Amino acid sequence: MVLLHVKRGDESQFLLQAPGSTELEELTVQVARVYNGRLKVQRLCSEMEELAEHGIFLPPNMQGLTDDQIEELKLKDEWGEKCVPSGGAVFKKDDIGRRNGQAPNEKMKQVLKKTLEEAKAIISKKQVEAGVCVTMEMVKDALDQLRGAVMIVYPMGLPPYDPIQMEFENKEDLSGTQAGLSVIKESEAQLWWAAKELRRTKKLSDYVGKNEKTKIIAKIQQVSAFFNTSVFFVISFQTDKNVQ
């Protein structure tokens, strides 16, 4: 198996294995999916930390308003009345005004925090140091663990506009966000070696040869296509005879 060490800039991201006979069309999509999947887990973990601290998302028309403004406008958080955490809520105001302040109790809070830490570990960059390859199955497992924890704490579910629920349903809107700039469209991803495109019509072995102990150091650089640039992976190759 050829070992790909995927980096962004000089920072390690993850390890991935693929046979030299792998079609580059398949490999390009595989790398992009794992890369994007890790980003999704990271986004979910970030939002779930806020969920544990401040409860569910407020309706869009109530976010950022003071209590007096909400009362004056006669606005009502109907989903907040439905989506109550197991064991009851503990009020903890969200100073940013995004979430309703009805946080889970300490026991349920720890369910969320423990699970998100486990999910982070699965897709952590430290897996590179440990020599552990990250697969799409591992990413899906992390997502399933996060979904399960939310179901335990919020058996009635989350509002459809909560970023966590939108991520679970793959309906997240990242347009105009920094997170959105990091996502790589599979159809636009390219693999490059020595400033040359590794064409999807060829196989990995056409570039690295038949040595299945080859180590590929892949540098990932993304520039948003919306700014008239392209998404590309710059790949440099190193042969490491010690790689098994």
Side-chain angles (χ1 to χ4, degrees):
M1 298 285 278
V2 177
L3 181 67
L4 285 82
H5 180 177
V6 182
K7 293 185 177 183
R8 184 168 189 176
D10 293 326
E11 189 173 0
S12 295
Q13 298 294 318
F14 58 92
L15 299 178
L16 183 147
Q17 282 186 324
S21 59
T22 303
E23 298 285 347
L24 282 166
E25 171 70 32
E26 176 186 345
L27 181 60
T28 302
V29 171
Q30 183 182 4
V31 172
R33 284 181 180 172
V34 173
Y35 181 79
N36 289 334
R38 291 176 67 253
L39 293 177
K40 187 179 189 71
V41 172
Q42 290 168 7
R43 293 194 302 270
L44 272 165
C45 287
S46 178
E47 286 294 347
M48 284 178 63
E49 287 176 352
E50 294 300 311
L51 178 69
E53 292 294 335
H54 303 293
I56 65 172
F57 227 53
L58 282 167
N61 65 341
M62 292 176 63
Q63 292 179 23
L65 299 181
T66 65
D67 292 340
D68 290 339
Q69 289 173 323
I70 291 174
E71 184 176 351
E72 182 181 347
L73 294 171
K74 298 180 180 179
L75 300 177
K76 190 176 182 181
D77 182 6
E78 295 182 357
W79 281 98
E81 297 176 0
K82 300 176 185 178
C83 306
V84 179
S86 296
V90 178
F91 184 73
K92 188 173 182 182
K93 185 177 178 61
D94 180 8
D95 293 331
I96 302 176
R98 296 170 72 239
R99 296 185 172 273
N100 71 356
Q102 300 298 318
N105 62 31
E106 187 60 29
K107 181 179 179 181
M108 292 296 101
K109 177 180 176 179
Q110 291 307 316
V111 169
L112 292 174
K113 294 224 165 189
K114 180 175 182 294
T115 304
L116 68 88
E117 288 302 325
E118 291 173 349
K120 284 181 182 179
I122 291 175
I123 55 94
S124 172
K125 296 173 183 177
K126 292 182 179 179
Q127 295 282 46
V128 174
E129 301 171 13
V132 177
C133 292
V134 176
T135 64
M136 200 58 213
E137 287 69 27
M138 293 169 67
V139 172
K140 290 178 179 177
D141 181 51
L143 292 172
D144 287 342
Q145 288 185 34
L146 294 173
R147 184 181 291 106
V150 171
M151 290 177 66
I152 290 172
V153 180
Y154 287 90
M156 299 303 292
L158 299 177
Y161 49 77
D162 193 297
I164 296 170
Q165 185 63 28
M166 294 177 74
E167 288 279 5
F168 286 150
E169 296 178 357
N170 295 318
K171 295 179 180 178
E172 66 272 20
D173 181 9
L174 304 177
S175 58
T177 67
Q178 187 62 38
L181 296 177
S182 298
V183 175
I184 298 170
K185 287 185 178 181
E186 294 175 14
S187 61
E188 295 178 5
Q190 293 178 318
L191 299 181
W192 291 72
W193 169 54
K196 295 180 181 180
E197 179 184 356
L198 303 186
R199 298 187 179 277
R200 295 191 180 207
T201 54
K202 295 190 175 185
K203 296 181 180 181
L204 182 59
S205 59
D206 291 335
Y207 295 91
V208 303
K210 302 296 184 180
N211 185 2
E212 290 289 332
K213 294 183 178 181
T214 299
K215 178 180 179 181
I216 300 173
I217 298 180
K219 287 190 175 182
I220 304 174
Q221 181 177 346
Q222 179 187 351
V223 183
S224 175
F226 291 105
F227 291 96
N228 298 319
T229 48
S230 61
V231 178
F232 61 95
F233 294 71
V234 181
I235 294 190
S236 61
F237 289 55
Q238 291 185 355
T239 301
D240 185 347
K241 296 182 180 180
N242 295 322
V243 176
Q244 299 301 318

